[in-house]
């Protein structure tokens, strides 16, 4: 009886591990055998997920892969154990390369990576690849803070136009911003956007509200409406529905969107949108698996790699001269003469129960509030304690190549307030 039970248990273990006994991706995979999968938090109704889906299809089709045969997409996968199940389902279908697109997918994708060492797992926006040290688990992001900065410049030019036309006074140049969560990814984005706006409109201020959801059209629309009621004369967002842009179109308030153009829905108010173009990363990973090469542990796409892009400007809302100014600033970002998080351009003076309180022991400032040292929580151990000084030669070095790809800028700088 014991021998029979042992045989049964061994068989169960073999069957349980069968999905993960693929040919190691690093040895190279011929084109006919290559299969890849993408796990999405939502579906194409989310601008965030649509941006991934479009890029994934482009990269796969460029590689000669066929949807439903050699590349697969699964949508509406929550940030929970469902992600691991979806990843293992892809492995069952023969995938040797699996992607996931949302921050909260990461721990579950790591579990799948540990169980399936011969399959490559790539995760967008994650923080743990550089500390997990798994040969088959990788994180990726892009220097989208540069794209946000450029979009902010477009917003600042619009504010200047409104001031010059007498539509608003200089001290009323107040931007509203709808953020999903108060995470570093969101804070880095709205701070860089604000710094871009203020680089051309010195009187600009910003009020931020959070929905505590990546995708909630009702909350995002209501957030925009509240910000407009609070006196915000231009709106942007890091949230994934058409809620905020629609509210702006209805109110006649200029809007800078994210992850793709909303001009079709909002022709009178759309200025521009920044987004990460994930196609270069998908292509890099597909080719690496085909050729038996390594995938970077942390990949950071840039303007140069085509990973940080702006949409075409709207036809009606942008200020005159916006295209020329954006070209000038973009050139400065590429050649390094413009640094988004140059500490000379912002101050941090608020330390109370609401602002920067838990960071107080990690930051040093001069008498004017300029940041001289900041220990950021780069090695994400879940304790929210900073351990890495990221102020180098007067610059807050975001997404450092020898640190991690995901953002860690989480300071609350002066000039930005939060809706009550």
């Amino acid at each position: 009886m014991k021998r029979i039970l042992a045989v049964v248990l061994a068989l169960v273990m073999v069957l349980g591990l069968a999905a993960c006994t693929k040919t190691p991706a690093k040895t190279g995979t011929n084109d006919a055998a290559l299969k890849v999968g993408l796990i999405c938090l939502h579906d194409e109704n989310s601008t965030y997920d649509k941006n991934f889906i479009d890029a994934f299809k482009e990269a796969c089709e460029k590689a000669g892969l066929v949807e439903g045969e050699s590349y697969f997409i699964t949508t509406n996968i929550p940030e929970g154990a469902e992600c691991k199940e979806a990843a293992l389902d892809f492995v069952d279908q023969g995938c040797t390369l699996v992607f996931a697109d949302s921050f909260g997918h990461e721990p579950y994708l790591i579990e799948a990576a540990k169980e399936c060492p011969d399959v490559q797992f790539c995760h967008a926006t994650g923080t743990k690849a550089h500390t997990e040290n798994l040969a088959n688990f990788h994180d990726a992001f892009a220097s989208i803070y540069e794209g946000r900065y450029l979009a902010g410049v477009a917003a600042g030019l619009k504010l200047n136009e409104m001031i010059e036309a007498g539509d608003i006074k200089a001290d009323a140049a107040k931007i509203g911003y709808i953020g999903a969560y108060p995470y570093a990814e969101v804070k880095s984005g709205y701070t860089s956007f604000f710094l871009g706006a203020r680089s051309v409109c010195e009187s600009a201020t910003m009020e931020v509200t959070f929905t505590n959801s990546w995708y909630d059209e009702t909350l995002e629309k209501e957030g925009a409406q509240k910000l407009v009621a609070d006196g915000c004369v231009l709106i942007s967002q890091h949230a994934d529905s058409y809620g905020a842009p629609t509210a702006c179109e209805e109110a006649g308030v200029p809007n800078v969107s994210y992850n793709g153009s909303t001009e079709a829905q909002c022709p009178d108010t759309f200025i521009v949108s920044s987004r990460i173009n994930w196609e270069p990363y998908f292509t890099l990973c597909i080719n690496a698996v085909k050729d038996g090469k390594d995938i970077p542990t942390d990949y950071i796409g840039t303007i140069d790699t085509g990973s940080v892009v702006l949409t075409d400007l709207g036809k009606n809302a942008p200020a005159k001269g916006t295209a020329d100014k954006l070209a000038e600033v973009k050139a400065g970002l590429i050649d390094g003469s413009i640094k988004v998080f140059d500490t000379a351009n912002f101050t941090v003076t608020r330390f109370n129960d609401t602002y920067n309180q838990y960071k107080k022991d990690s930051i040093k400032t001069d008498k004017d509030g300029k940041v001289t040292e900041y220990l950021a929580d780069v090695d994400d151990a879940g304790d929210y304690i900073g351990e890495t000084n990221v102020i180098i030669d007067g610059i807050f070095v975001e997404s450092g190549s020898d640190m991690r790809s995901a953002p860690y800028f989480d300071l609350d700088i002066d000039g930005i307030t939060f809706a009550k």
Side-chain angles (χ1 to χ4, degrees), residues 101-119:
D101 78 352
S102 193
F103 178 79
H105 285 149
E106 184 167 42
Y108 308 98
L109 206 66
I110 289 172
E111 289 180 14
K114 289 178 178 178
E115 291 186 17
C116 302
D118 297 332
V119 177

Side-chain angles (χ1 to χ4, degrees), residues 174-195:
K174 183 180 179 184
I175 299 167
Y177 199 100
I178 296 92
Y181 293 93
Y183 297 163
E185 179 183 343
V186 179
K187 285 178 176 278
S188 176
Y190 69 62
T191 304
S192 52
F193 177 81
F194 175 66
L195 291 172

Side-chain angles (χ1 to χ4, degrees), residues 88-400:
L88 295 181
D89 283 345
F90 279 148
V91 175
D92 281 339
Q93 294 176 68
C95 292
T96 53
L97 178 59
V98 176
F99 299 93
D101 78 352
S102 193
F103 178 79
H105 285 149
E106 184 167 42
Y108 308 98
L109 206 66
I110 289 172
E111 289 180 14
K114 289 178 178 178
E115 291 186 17
C116 302
D118 297 332
V119 177
Q120 297 296 320
F121 294 87
C122 301
H123 177 249
T125 79
T127 63
K128 296 185 180 298
H130 77 296
T131 52
E132 286 290 328
N133 294 315
L134 293 172
N136 66 326
F137 181 75
H138 320 276
D139 279 328
F141 210 82
S143 58
I144 189 59
Y145 58 90
E146 294 181 311
R148 295 277 199 183
Y149 185 89
L150 284 167
V153 170
L157 293 173
K158 183 63 178 180
L159 293 174
N160 285 342
E161 184 179 73
M162 296 164 73
I163 293 168
E164 291 166 7
D167 297 332
I168 62 171
K169 295 185 180 298
D171 61 2
K174 183 180 179 184
I175 299 167
Y177 199 100
I178 296 92
Y181 293 93
Y183 297 163
E185 179 183 343
V186 179
K187 285 178 176 278
S188 176
Y190 69 62
T191 304
S192 52
F193 177 81
F194 175 66
L195 291 172
R198 188 170 266 192
S199 73
V200 293
C201 180
E202 293 182 1
S203 64
T205 59
M206 178 185 283
E207 181 177 344
V208 178
T209 188
F210 298 104
T211 61
N212 293 307
S213 170
W214 290 119
Y215 181 89
D216 190 314
E217 189 161 4
T218 298
L219 288 180
E220 290 163 33
K221 186 171 186 177
E222 290 175 351
Q225 291 168 336
K226 183 180 186 302
L227 290 170
V228 171
D230 284 348
C232 296
V233 297
L234 185 147
I235 301 291
S236 189
Q237 70 271 342
H238 187 153
D240 298 341
S241 82
Y242 292 103
T246 300
C248 290
E249 186 74 3
E250 292 173 355
V253 173
N255 176 255
V256 175
S257 60
Y258 185 50
N259 278 324
S261 174
T262 57
E263 184 169 27
Q265 297 81 7
C266 310
D268 294 326
T269 55
F270 171 72
I271 295 177
V272 74
S273 175
S274 61
R275 71 179 182 90
I276 297 176
N277 175 20
W278 288 99
E279 183 275 326
Y281 180 65
F282 288 141
T283 295
L284 179 151
C285 295
I286 289 169
N287 288 338
V289 171
K290 286 168 61 176
D291 299 337
K293 295 181 178 179
D294 291 332
I295 297 171
T297 300
D298 273 273
Y299 172 87
I300 305 172
T302 65
I303 294 175
D304 270 345
T305 64
S307 304
V308 176
V309 296
L310 294 183
T311 64
D312 291 338
L313 293 169
K315 293 182 176 65
N316 300 316
K320 291 181 180 179
T322 298
D324 289 341
K325 184 63 176 178
L326 290 181
E328 173 193 325
V329 176
K330 180 179 177 180
L333 291 169
I334 291 173
D335 68 25
S337 59
I338 297 175
K339 300 291 188 183
V340 172
F341 294 116
D342 187 334
T343 58
N345 296 329
F346 64 88
T347 58
V348 176
T349 60
R350 298 172 297 175
F351 294 98
N352 54 42
D353 289 341
T354 305
Y355 307 109
N356 300 315
Q357 181 63 25
Y358 82 91
K359 309 179 189 79
K360 198 167 184 178
D361 294 334
S362 298
I363 189 170
K364 292 182 181 179
T365 61
D366 65 17
K367 60 183 179 59
D368 298 317
K370 297 284 194 302
V371 181
T372 58
E373 182 178 310
Y374 181 57
L375 298 180
D377 187 19
V378 175
D379 297 339
D380 182 7
D383 55 9
Y384 304 104
I385 296 174
E387 74 296 311
T388 305
N389 180 32
V390 293
I391 307 299
I392 301 174
D393 296 329
I395 309 298
F396 187 114
V397 179
E398 175 69 299
S399 301

